């Protein structure tokens, strides 16, 4: 009986383990104006309210090589459509990304944060994990560093991920430099333990308990 119980629990728990989305819907920024931009990431609407240095730029060459923006959790960099928003920082404004629906574990790709000998930073209102960093085709090879919810770079390029469910993410970039850039992405699918799986576990345990009483 104990062996049967162990096998059932192990099987159900393995089935309930969440899987991590690898394919990312990167934002296609459709329009921008002073301090505001809108776009879509798959079926999710995305808006940005904050500093914008001119218009949204587009071009796949910005996000190369792909290895800098991919990892075990992200298997496609933002090369298509390749849009990005340019910032200069140092103005004390708060930048905010808002999603049209709750998003689980959103990601942000960042390009050329800081410069050689000049550290720039994003100070976020939410915890994050650095997934990847490395060289860029045109602007340096400095890695990211992290302290709490703050991200630092000297020509830093790569991807970070916010773990949890979000409808918005905000940050400040207090250090001025000529420019740095970002875009955001939404995992195509994220799985969590489903109620049916938990119901299966409960039903199995109840059945085993009844069988044990019957044997007695």
């Amino acid at each position: 009986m104990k062996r049967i119980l162990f096998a059932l629990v192990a099987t159900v728990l393995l089935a309930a383990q969440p899987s991590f989305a690898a394919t990312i819907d990167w934002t296609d920024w459709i329009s921008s104006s002073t301090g505001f931009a809108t776009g879509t990431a798959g079926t999710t609407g995305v808006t940005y309210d904050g500093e914008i240095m001119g218009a949204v730029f587009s071009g796949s060459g910005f996000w190369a090589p792909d290895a800098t923006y991919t990892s075990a959790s992200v298997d496609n960099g933002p090369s298509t459509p390749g849009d990005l928003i340019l910032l200069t920082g140092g103005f004390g404004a708060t930048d905010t990304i808002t999603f049209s629906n709750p998003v689980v574990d959103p990601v942000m790709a960042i390009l050329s944060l800081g410069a050689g000998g000049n550290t720039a930073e994003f100070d976020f209102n939410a915890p994050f994990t650095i997934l990847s960093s490395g060289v860029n085709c045109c602007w340096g090879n400095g890695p990211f560093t992290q302290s709490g919810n703050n991200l630092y770079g000297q020509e830093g390029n790569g991807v970070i991920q916010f773990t949890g469910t979000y409808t918005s993410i905000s940050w400040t970039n207090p250090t001025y430099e000529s420019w740095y850039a970002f875009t955001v992405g939404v995992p195509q699918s994220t799985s969590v333990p489903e109620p049916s799986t938990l119901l299966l576990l409960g039903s199995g345990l109840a059945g085993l308990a009844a069988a044990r009483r019957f044997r007695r």
Side-chain angles (χ1 to χ4, degrees):
M1 179 64 69
K2 289 182 179 180
R3 291 179 180 178
I4 296 175
L5 176 61
F6 176 81
L8 176 62
V9 172
T11 300
V12 173
L13 288 179
L14 285 173
Q17 289 298 309
S19 60
F20 295 94
T23 302
I24 304 297
D25 286 324
W26 293 100
T27 301
D28 181 7
W29 295 104
I30 299 169
S31 64
S32 65
S33 59
T34 302
F36 191 76
T38 62
T40 57
T43 59
T44 300
V46 184
T47 61
Y48 168 74
D49 185 9
E51 176 203 356
I52 298 179
M53 178 183 167
V56 170
F57 278 44
S58 181
S60 59
F62 291 115
W63 301 107
D66 200 51
T68 295
Y69 305 98
T70 57
S71 64
S73 299
V74 174
D75 65 6
N76 60 304
S79 57
T80 303
D83 295 350
L84 53 82
I85 292 178
L86 296 178
L87 313 173
T88 58
F91 297 104
T94 297
D95 302 323
T96 300
I97 288 288
T98 303
F99 303 108
S100 61
N101 51 268
V103 171
V104 179
D105 299 341
V107 295
M108 176 182 285
I110 299 170
L111 172 69
S112 188
L113 178 62
N118 178 25
T119 302
E121 63 187 278
F122 283 177
D123 300 342
F124 292 100
N125 69 338
F128 64 89
T129 301
I130 298 172
L131 297 183
S132 62
S133 62
V135 300
N136 179 269
C137 69
C138 313
W139 299 286
N141 60 356
F144 291 134
T145 57
Q146 178 179 359
S147 177
N149 293 348
N150 298 346
L151 180 72
Y152 303 92
Q154 292 186 359
E155 292 290 3
N157 310 287
V159 175
I160 64 174
Q161 184 168 49
F162 302 90
T163 303
T165 302
Y166 294 88
T167 56
S168 68
I169 298 169
S170 296
W171 71 95
T172 58
N173 48 327
T175 305
Y176 174 83
E177 68 164 305
S178 57
W179 67 269
Y180 34 91
F182 80 94
T183 191
V184 292
V186 174
Q188 285 189 0
S189 64
T190 305
S191 107
V192 296
E194 300 201 5
S196 59
T197 303
L198 299 178
L199 179 61
L200 174 62
L201 175 60
S203 299
L205 293 176
L208 286 173
R212 188 169 187 178
R213 286 196 300 271
F214 179 78
R215 285 184 61 188
R216 289 178 177 174

